[in-house]
Amino acid sequence: MTNAFQQKNRVTRSGLRLDLRPAQAEDEAPLEEFFRHVSADDLHFRFLSAAPRVAHDVVVAMTHVDHHQTENFLAFEANTGLLVATAMLACDKTLERGEVAIAERADFKGRGIGWALLQYVTDAARARGVKMIESIESRDNHAAIELESEMGFSVEACPGDATLLVVRKYLQPV
């Protein structure tokens, strides 16, 4: 990612102050602890899996990224330093397309973190020249689909899987 997205501060609509930065190798333990506080439904929505917990190798992949095609941003509550959310941006080699995935601690939901993180990732993708970002969503993830729709994402059926939707936003003219 560009230097502009190394460390940033954001304030959510509820007034929660966040410190945002890319994940690093030393974030493995805090990220594993974070996922213990994400609801089972939200784990399912984030990974589209029924696994009851996030495997260590997945956490390693989230903290050891190439920083060119993939970035995993972490959001910490500014006052306490508590990890409250994570947002992944995974791009193809040409940076034509990027996929976004966000997860929040259950006890911090409803405070505007998802909105702030999606805006942050959208800005990071746009700054890198990514032309389009998208997310694969379970049809049951009404909160995420509503938020993405409010932010200008289009919603389409996922080819080959009636249980999923593709939400997409073009960042540059097609």
Side-chain angles (χ1 to χ4, degrees):
M1 286 292 159
T2 64
N3 287 338
F5 290 93
Q6 290 303 306
Q7 173 79 37
K8 286 287 183 184
N9 307 97
R10 294 277 168 116
V11 178
T12 69
R13 63 174 159 67
S14 70
L16 181 68
R17 290 184 28 239
L18 299 174
D19 293 330
L20 301 152
R21 66 165 175 79
Q24 303 163 359
E26 57 269 17
D27 292 318
E28 281 181 36
L31 199 53
E32 284 185 328
E33 177 62 23
F34 161 78
F35 280 119
R36 289 186 192 101
H37 301 277
V38 175
S39 73
D41 282 345
D42 286 341
L43 283 177
H44 168 72
F45 293 148
R46 166 58 179 87
F47 295 101
L48 297 176
S49 161
R53 64 179 186 79
V54 178
H56 180 71
D57 61 325
V58 173
V59 171
V60 169
M62 295 173 79
T63 56
H64 295 78
V65 298
D66 65 17
H67 303 287
H68 172 69
Q69 286 179 248
T70 305
E71 195 67 81
N72 187 38
F73 297 105
L74 303 179
F76 299 88
E77 184 181 34
N79 292 336
T80 65
L82 180 67
L83 179 58
V84 297
T86 179
M88 176 73 77
L89 173 63
C91 302
D92 62 11
K93 288 182 181 183
T94 63
L95 301 180
E96 294 282 321
R97 177 183 154 277
E99 185 173 345
V100 177
I102 295 173
E104 299 175 52
R105 280 180 62 116
D107 52 341
F108 277 80
K109 291 190 67 96
R111 298 178 68 184
I113 296 170
W115 182 277
L117 271 177
L118 186 55
Q119 186 62 58
Y120 184 76
V121 172
T122 300
D123 292 346
R126 186 176 285 119
R128 298 201 56 202
V130 175
K131 293 177 177 53
M132 182 264 300
I133 56 174
E134 64 186 6
S135 183
I136 309 300
E137 299 289 358
S138 166
R139 285 184 181 271
D140 295 331
N141 195 353
H142 304 289
I145 295 164
E146 182 179 330
L147 180 140
E148 291 158 334
S149 294
E150 288 174 8
M151 291 188 78
F153 284 71
S154 63
V155 180
E156 302 169 13
C158 184
D161 192 333
T163 67
L164 300 176
L165 295 171
V166 178
V167 293
R168 180 176 292 135
K169 183 173 186 173
Y170 290 93
L171 306 179
Q172 298 181 17
V174 180

